[in-house]
C-alpha cells in the first residue's frame, strides 16, 4: 500500500515538473562559454542553442545587436558555429532576471490546459500560477509571468470562438432590433475581427431601469461552458423586492478596459442615466472602470462576497465563539463608517 502511494507521489511530482519546466542546473553550461565549434542538426536547433545561451547570459535574441553567432553547413548536414561575437550594444540584465525578457517567456500547451482545468474548478489564474511557482522552486523556473498566463488563456478562449455562432448571434440581435421597439445591442471585436465583448437589452429592461435604476448590481461570477466567456448581468430590484434585469453583457476577460467598454455601452443604451449606487464584488479591475464611467455613483460591495472573503482572510476570528453574530451585526446593521470602525476595533481586541 505504502509503495503504491509513494509511486503515485513520484508520478504526480514528475507531471508537475514537466509542467513547470524544472531544469538540472548542475549540467548547465557556463554563461560566458564560447560557442565556436559547437554543432547542431538543424536551423531550429541552432536558434534554440543560441537562445539558451542568451538566457544564461542575460539578453534576448534580437536584430540590431552587435553580438551574434555565425554557422556553417557542413557536408555531413551538421550546422557548426564558425564565429561567436560576444560584444553587445546594450545593457545586459542579471541572469537571475532573464526569465522576465519577452523572448524567454513562454506558456506550453500543457501549461494552458493545466491552468484552464484549475480555472474551471474554481481556482483563480493567479492562484494557479502561484502554485506552479511553488512547485518549481520560484518564478525563474516557471518560464512566464501572471500577465502571460492571463493573455494566453484569453487568446486560447478567443481561438475557440466559432465564426458561425458569432454570425448567428449578431443576426438574431439584428432581427430583434428590427422587430422589437427599443431593442439595443452592441459588440466589440479585436484586431483579428474576433468577438471579445457584447451587450444587449430590450425595451422592458430599459423601462425597468427608468423606474428602478437607482441601484445597479453587476456580478461576473458566472461563465459560459463552451467559450469560457464571462457573463455580466445588470440587475436591480423593483417595488416588490424582486430582481429585475436591466441588460446583460459577455466579456472574454476581466481587464479594466473590458469593463470600461461594457459600462460605457450600458450607459449609452440608457441615455447616459447613471445609477445612484452600484453594487459589485471585490474586483479591482471593475472598481477602476466604475471610477471612470460612473464617477458620480456610489460604489458598494456585496455583503455575500464580503462574507465569502472573510472565510479566507479572517478564518481564525470566525472560529472564535460568538464572532459570527457580531460580524453579521456589523455588516448588516451599522450605518456609518465611524460606527463600524468603533465596534470593529473592539472585536479585534
Amino acid at each position: 500500500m505504502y509503495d503504491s502511494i509513494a509511486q503515485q507521489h513520484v508520478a504526480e511530482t514528475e507531471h508537475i515538473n514537466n509542467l513547470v519546466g524544472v531544469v538540472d542546473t548542475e549540467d548547465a553550461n557556463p554563461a560566458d562559454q564560447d560557442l565556436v565549434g559547437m554543432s547542431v542538426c538543424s536551423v531550429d536547433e541552432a536558434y534554440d542553442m543560441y537562445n539558451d545561451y542568451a538566457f544564461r547570459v542575460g539578453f534576448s535574441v534580437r536584430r540590431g545587436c552587435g553580438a551574434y553567432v555565425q554557422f556553417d553547413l557542413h557536408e555531413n548536414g551538421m550546422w557548426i558555429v564558425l564565429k561567436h561575437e560576444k560584444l553587445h550594444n546594450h545593457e545586459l540584465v542579471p541572469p537571475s532576471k532573464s526569465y522576465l525578457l519577452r523572448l524567454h517567456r513562454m506558456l506550453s500547451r500543457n501549461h494552458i490546459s493545466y491552468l484552464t482545468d484549475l480555472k474551471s474548478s474554481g481556482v483563480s489564474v493567479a492562484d494557479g500560477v502561484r502554485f506552479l511557482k511553488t512547485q518549481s522552486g520560484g518564478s525563474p523556473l516557471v518560464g512566464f509571468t501572471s500577465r502571460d498566463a492571463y493573455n494566453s488563456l484569453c487568446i486560447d478562449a478567443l481561438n475557440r470562438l466559432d465564426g458561425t455562432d458569432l454570425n448567428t448571434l449578431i443576426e438574431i440581435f439584428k432581427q430583434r432590433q428590427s422587430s422589437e421597439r427599443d431593442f439595443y445591442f452592441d459588440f466589440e471585436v479585436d484586431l483579428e475581427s474576433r468577438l471579445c465583448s457584447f451587450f444587449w437589452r430590450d425595451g422592458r429592461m430599459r423601462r425597468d431601469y427608468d423606474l428602478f435604476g437607482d441601484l445597479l448590481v453587476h456580478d461576473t461570477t458566472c461563465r459560459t461552458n463552451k467559450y469560457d466567456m464571462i457573463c455580466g448581468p445588470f440587475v436591480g430590484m423593483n417595488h416588490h423586492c424582486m430582481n429585475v434585469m436591466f441588460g446583460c453583457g459577455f466579456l472574454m476577460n476581466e481587464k479594466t478596459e473590458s469593463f470600461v467598454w461594457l459600462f460605457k455601452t450600458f450607459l449609452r443604451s440608457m441615455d447616459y442615466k447613471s445609477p445612484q449606487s452600484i453594487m459589485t464584488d471585490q474586483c479591482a479591475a471593475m472598481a477602476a472602470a466604475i471610477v471612470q464611467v460612473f464617477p458620480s455613483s456610489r460604489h458598494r460591495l456585496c455583503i455575500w462576497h464580503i462574507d465569502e472573503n472573510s472565510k479566507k482572510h479572517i478564518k481564525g476570528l470566525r472560529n472564535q465563539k460568538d464572532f459570527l453574530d457580531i460580524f453579521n451585526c456589523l455588516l448588516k446593521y451599522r450605518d456609518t463608517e465611524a460606527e463600524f470602525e468603533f465596534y470593529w476595533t473592539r472585536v479585534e481586541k
Side-chain angles (χ1 to χ4, degrees):
M1 173 181 177
Y2 293 108
D3 290 341
S4 63
I5 294 176
Q7 292 172 359
Q8 179 181 1
H9 174 72
V10 170
E12 291 176 349
T13 303
E14 290 177 348
H15 173 66
I16 292 174
N17 287 344
N18 289 334
L19 284 172
V20 299
V22 175
V23 298
D24 185 359
T25 56
E26 292 182 359
D27 294 337
N29 293 323
D32 59 349
Q33 75 175 109
D34 196 322
L35 301 181
V36 173
M38 295 190 67
S39 61
V40 292
C41 298
S42 65
V43 173
D44 290 336
E45 287 187 10
Y47 176 83
D48 289 340
M49 181 188 70
Y50 191 54
N51 197 49
D52 290 341
Y53 167 81
F55 179 83
R56 295 194 299 272
V57 174
F59 69 95
S60 56
V61 180
R62 60 182 180 181
R63 294 179 180 179
C65 178
Y68 66 91
V69 286
Q70 180 179 336
F71 287 86
D72 180 47
L73 180 59
H74 196 266
E75 59 184 13
N76 62 4
M78 299 294 291
W79 293 78
I80 302 175
V81 179
L82 290 183
K83 186 175 182 179
H84 181 193
E85 176 58 61
K86 302 180 183 179
L87 182 62
H88 295 266
N89 57 8
H90 56 85
E91 294 290 332
L92 302 180
V93 303
S96 61
K97 300 295 183 182
S98 291
Y99 72 98
L100 295 175
L101 295 172
R102 183 175 60 85
L103 291 181
H104 296 310
R105 306 198 313 261
M106 182 186 68
L107 267 78
S108 67
R109 185 68 247 176
N110 285 340
H111 285 129
I112 295 175
S113 298
Y114 186 69
L115 291 172
T116 300
D117 291 342
L118 288 178
K119 189 176 177 182
S120 64
S121 301
V123 180
S124 68
V125 177
D127 287 339
V129 173
R130 193 176 298 114
F131 172 75
L132 291 177
K133 289 179 180 179
T134 301
Q135 293 298 319
S136 66
S139 299
L141 296 180
V142 175
F144 57 88
T145 64
S146 296
R147 175 57 59 190
D148 296 329
Y150 281 108
N151 290 340
S152 295
L153 291 178
C154 180
I155 292 173
D156 185 62
L158 284 171
N159 290 335
R160 293 199 301 271
L161 283 176
D162 188 338
T164 303
D165 287 352
L166 169 60
N167 294 332
T168 301
L169 173 67
I170 302 304
E171 186 61 33
I172 291 174
F173 283 162
K174 288 181 178 179
Q175 290 177 2
R176 292 193 61 179
Q177 192 174 54
S178 63
S179 61
E180 298 181 26
R181 180 176 176 271
D182 204 19
F183 182 86
Y184 183 95
F185 79 94
D186 199 1
F187 62 94
E188 183 184 31
V189 296
D190 61 14
L191 296 177
E192 299 181 13
S193 299
R194 296 176 299 192
L195 180 70
C196 53
S197 308
F198 63 90
F199 166 83
W200 84 94
R201 62 128 183 94
D202 58 24
R204 174 63 181 273
M205 296 175 183
R206 167 62 190 272
R207 294 189 293 274
D208 281 338
Y209 185 76
D210 287 340
L211 294 172
F212 311 111
D214 52 337
L215 171 64
L216 178 64
V217 180
H218 186 64
D219 181 55
T220 56
T221 56
C222 296
R223 292 176 179 267
T224 61
N225 291 329
K226 184 175 181 180
Y227 297 132
D228 198 32
M229 294 189 76
I230 301 162
C231 177
F234 294 88
V235 183
M237 183 178 294
N238 65 16
H239 56 302
H240 296 297
C241 294
M242 299 178 64
N243 289 339
V244 288
M245 181 81 78
F246 298 145
C248 190
F250 281 81
L251 304 173
M252 287 304 305
N253 58 67
E254 293 183 278
K255 296 180 180 179
T256 298
E257 52 266 31
S258 298
F259 285 117
V260 168
W261 178 90
L262 180 60
F263 293 160
K264 284 184 175 180
T265 304
F266 172 84
L267 196 60
R268 185 168 56 250
S269 76
M270 301 300 183
D271 286 341
Y272 299 95
K273 176 187 175 182
S274 295
Q276 295 182 21
S277 298
I278 302 176
M279 187 176 295
T280 71
D281 60 8
Q282 290 177 293
C283 174
M286 194 188 303
I290 288 174
V291 171
Q292 294 184 43
V293 184
F294 302 110
S296 62
S297 302
R298 294 186 297 268
H299 184 198
R300 297 289 183 262
L301 299 178
C302 174
I303 289 179
W304 183 86
H305 285 101
I306 294 176
D307 184 65
E308 289 297 302
N309 286 333
S310 72
K311 296 176 183 178
K312 296 186 295 183
H313 299 297
I314 54 171
K315 185 183 298 184
L317 289 174
R318 288 179 63 93
N319 291 331
Q320 294 181 11
K321 183 180 179 181
D322 300 327
F323 173 80
L324 288 180
D325 293 335
I326 300 173
F327 183 66
N328 289 328
C329 180
L330 287 174
L331 276 183
K332 300 176 182 178
Y333 304 111
R334 302 298 80 144
D335 298 325
T336 66
E337 182 178 351
E339 191 178 11
F340 179 90
E341 291 291 344
F342 176 82
Y343 287 103
W344 180 251
T345 54
R346 281 154 179 75
V347 170
E348 290 182 313
K349 295 178 180 179

